[in-house]
Amino acid sequence: MNNTTPSPMSAIATSSSGRATGKSMSFALELQSMMFSLGDARRPLHETAVLVEDIVHTQLINLLQQAAEVSQLRGARVISAEDLLFLMRKDKKKLKRLLKYMFFRDYKSKIVKGIEEDDLLEDKFSSSSNVNKRQKIAQDFLHSIDQTGELLAMFEDDEIDDIKQERMERAERQTRMMDAAQYAEFCESRQLSFSKKASKFRDWLDCSSMEIKPNVIAMEILAYLAYETVAQLVDLALLVRQDMAPKAGDPFSHAISATFIQYHTSTESTAACGIEAQSDAIQPSHIREAIRRYGHKIGPVSPFTSAYRGNGMTFLAC
Amino acid sequence: YDSYLHTSSNRETFASPLEPSKEPSTDFSSVDLSFLPDELNQDNTEQPLTEGKQGVEGNHEIQGDPSRIQSLNEKDSGGIYTDNFSLSNSGLNPLSDGNSTLPSPENSSPGFFPLTSMTPLMPVTPVSEVFYRVYYSMNIVSTVNLACKLDLKKIALQAKNAEYNPKRFAAVIMRIREPRTTALIFSSGKMVCTGAKSEELSRLAARKFARVVQKLGFPARFLDFKIQNMVGSCDMRFPIRLESLALTHQQFSSYEPELFPGLIYRMVKPRIVLLIFVSGKVVLTGAKERSEIYEAFENIYPILKGFKKA
């Protein structure tokens, strides 16, 4: 998990050590809530939350550093939305999701402004070019880097986001069985996000040692990417857990990888071939297995792909 | 039943519908409603508001007929209310005269008429009336052209309740207390008026602002008054499963609870945006006319009922 490749940024050493020497703040509680809203059990395990926090933190720090490098390349003074969009250019689906999120943010502030009278006046105070600010930034930037027309085609593209669809269906299944009180709790958990705890998030990321810092919109996007990472982890972990459940008549049950069984037997006392885990919650082993699979170099061309992999870090969010 | 009858007579004497009607509900609790099936009770809390005038008259009927109340308690099915109500409806006339003066209860509480029930014998209340009585508030934004160039500094200095900060914003912000509204007045003569609770009040407020400007010596006129946006809100009074709604009505809904606790529903016809919350509260915005809000509500009501959280 740790990035061992030397990087021009000296910050990396300080950030890892900062992480190791007991951070005063921890998102473990919030993460437990978030994982519940994303499909985990009613009370996710604390160990799992700590592990997820670790992973998300590492990934974000690395992402931030790569963004800072990009920012330096174009000679800017702050890390802005453009740099993060640039990093995400490879994965169209995730980029599209990010864009949808940004547009939704614009749209929501537009509507809420129309309703709240005070906000209406505030809006008049600030320049009206605030409307659709994020959308404009995104569109302008993608226009500038797009050489094959693929990225701009994304704006017109109305394809359904499969992963988002799956998450919605999972949420729907989860909530169907709940009664009113549980559902209220679920809704509150869903509303939790890193952007809600912006100042804590900022401190947690600890950008003070970096030369180039992110601006406001970049922080919004980072909060969103953190949430996406957690969501991806939960998606993958649930998939892993589903795989682990022995299915009668599964033709590949004999072909399960060794590492898989090792995780399975070492973390759970029950027999590998037998009973399912006691609790419904996602175990740290699921998460680790999910990360392993996601970063696994499968296929003939894998050693030669992606600069990210060269760094030893595959980002879940982009 | 003495206390019950007593409060009924109280109700006859009050003039304003805004008198807190909490008392009747607590008194009704003394009436034994335990044999009623649960849904009927809930329906009773919703429906009675729709009965409106009919309910008022019906209640007075019950007051005049203590024997009927006793029979209410003795019989064992919820259906008894049907009979009672239809009876009281047919015998409406004697006591109905005093009731026609009662203004429609805009803010009546749900506990006001728990004994009324929804029956096939009674005309089904149109959904827009349910909206009107469940919870109703509006915010209207309108614009008008005063058709003359204005000296904002002069207005700010001479008018009361006016603020002007040219460095921040190029308009005077003026407020009046009756109706409670705020206006943004620009030097071009255009004015935006917000905060009124109805179209007529918005127009009235805009006229008042125009008169203020006139009194300050400007030849203000009142051209092109136009309602730009109307916002309505209402309460379904049942929790709603937003996840399911977002899934089934994907092409219209956007639900990102991390960003905003409500589901944003973009209705195509009429072109209204609805903000739907888990609690059952719904905000409707983007309308230029009141009928659009009612129409949107009538469209969404059956849909939301289908996603009621049991």
Side-chain angles (χ1 to χ4, degrees), chain B residues 114-133:
Chain B
L115 290 185
T116 58
S117 67
M118 182 73 151
T119 98
L121 295 173
M122 304 227 302
V124 176
T125 318
V127 173
S128 52
E129 281 197 38
V130 175
F131 163 65
Y132 186 77
R133 280 160 177 78

Side-chain angles (χ1 to χ4, degrees), chain B residues 51-243:
Chain B
E51 309 323 332
K53 292 217 177 99
Q54 292 168 313
V56 173
E57 289 151 6
N59 226 355
H60 286 273
E61 289 306 303
I62 295 172
Q63 182 213 338
D65 226 338
S67 57
R68 209 172 276 155
I69 301 166
Q70 265 182 327
S71 61
L72 276 176
N73 257 1
E74 278 160 24
K75 310 241 181 115
D76 236 25
S77 77
I80 192 58
Y81 286 163
T82 329
D83 302 332
N84 265 329
F85 211 97
S86 58
L87 282 174
S88 46
N89 254 346
S90 53
L92 215 46
N93 304 318
L95 288 183
S96 63
D97 311 55
N99 301 335
S100 48
T101 54
L102 271 174
S104 53
E106 272 191 5
N107 296 327
S108 40
S109 79
F112 202 53
F113 302 119
L115 290 185
T116 58
S117 67
M118 182 73 151
T119 98
L121 295 173
M122 304 227 302
V124 176
T125 318
V127 173
S128 52
E129 281 197 38
V130 175
F131 163 65
Y132 186 77
R133 280 160 177 78
V134 170
Y135 179 65
Y136 174 68
S137 79
M138 282 267 217
N139 182 26
I140 315 264
V141 176
S142 57
T143 53
V144 73
N145 187 1
L146 302 177
C148 66
K149 290 273 172 281
L150 301 175
D151 181 355
L152 297 185
K153 225 178 191 172
K154 181 176 175 202
I155 295 178
L157 287 171
Q158 296 188 329
K160 299 185 277 191
N161 307 324
E163 42 182 278
Y164 179 45
N165 201 339
K167 287 204 193 91
R168 266 187 95 188
F169 189 51
V172 167
I173 303 170
M174 196 184 292
R175 294 171 222 268
I176 55 175
R177 250 181 252 123
E178 188 58 50
R180 218 172 140 271
T181 46
T182 309
L184 297 174
I185 309 176
F186 295 83
S187 52
S188 60
K190 299 247 171 76
M191 183 170 78
V192 177
C193 172
T194 70
K197 294 290 177 206
S198 78
E199 303 93 311
E200 302 80 37
L201 287 178
S202 192
R203 198 189 181 90
L204 176 65
R207 287 205 107 95
K208 287 196 178 175
F209 283 117
R211 204 172 316 132
V212 169
V213 171
Q214 230 175 29
K215 287 209 178 125
L216 290 174
F218 298 95
R221 296 165 67 198
F222 199 77
L223 299 180
D224 307 326
F225 176 78
K226 183 170 179 223
I227 306 271
Q228 297 293 343
N229 186 27
M230 295 174 73
V231 178
S233 60
C234 65
D235 190 359
M236 299 287 154
R237 296 188 192 278
F238 53 76
I240 303 174
R241 280 181 295 133
L242 295 180
E243 276 80 13

Side-chain angles (χ1 to χ4, degrees), chain B residues 2-63:
Chain B
D2 292 333
S3 52
Y4 167 73
L5 291 178
H6 176 65
T7 37
S8 302
S9 56
N10 270 352
R11 220 175 298 119
E12 245 188 330
T13 54
F14 76 77
S16 128
L18 296 174
E19 175 157 317
S21 17
K22 289 297 177 194
E23 298 166 68
S25 52
T26 52
D27 275 317
F28 285 169
S29 64
S30 67
V31 173
D32 185 16
L33 296 170
S34 54
F35 62 89
L36 272 182
D38 274 358
E39 327 134 6
L40 199 56
N41 257 337
Q42 268 183 348
D43 278 348
N44 282 344
T45 55
E46 268 187 276
Q47 295 315 317
L49 303 170
T50 76
E51 309 323 332
K53 292 217 177 99
Q54 292 168 313
V56 173
E57 289 151 6
N59 226 355
H60 286 273
E61 289 306 303
I62 295 172
Q63 182 213 338

Side-chain angles (χ1 to χ4, degrees), chain A residues 117 124 165 175 178 183, chain B residues 169 182 242-243 250 256 309:
Chain A
E117 192 188 316
K124 299 284 186 191
Q165 180 79 7
T175 55
M178 293 183 182
Y183 184 60
Chain B
F169 189 51
T182 309
L242 295 180
E243 276 80 13
Q250 264 180 67
E256 302 277 344
K309 184 88 200 121

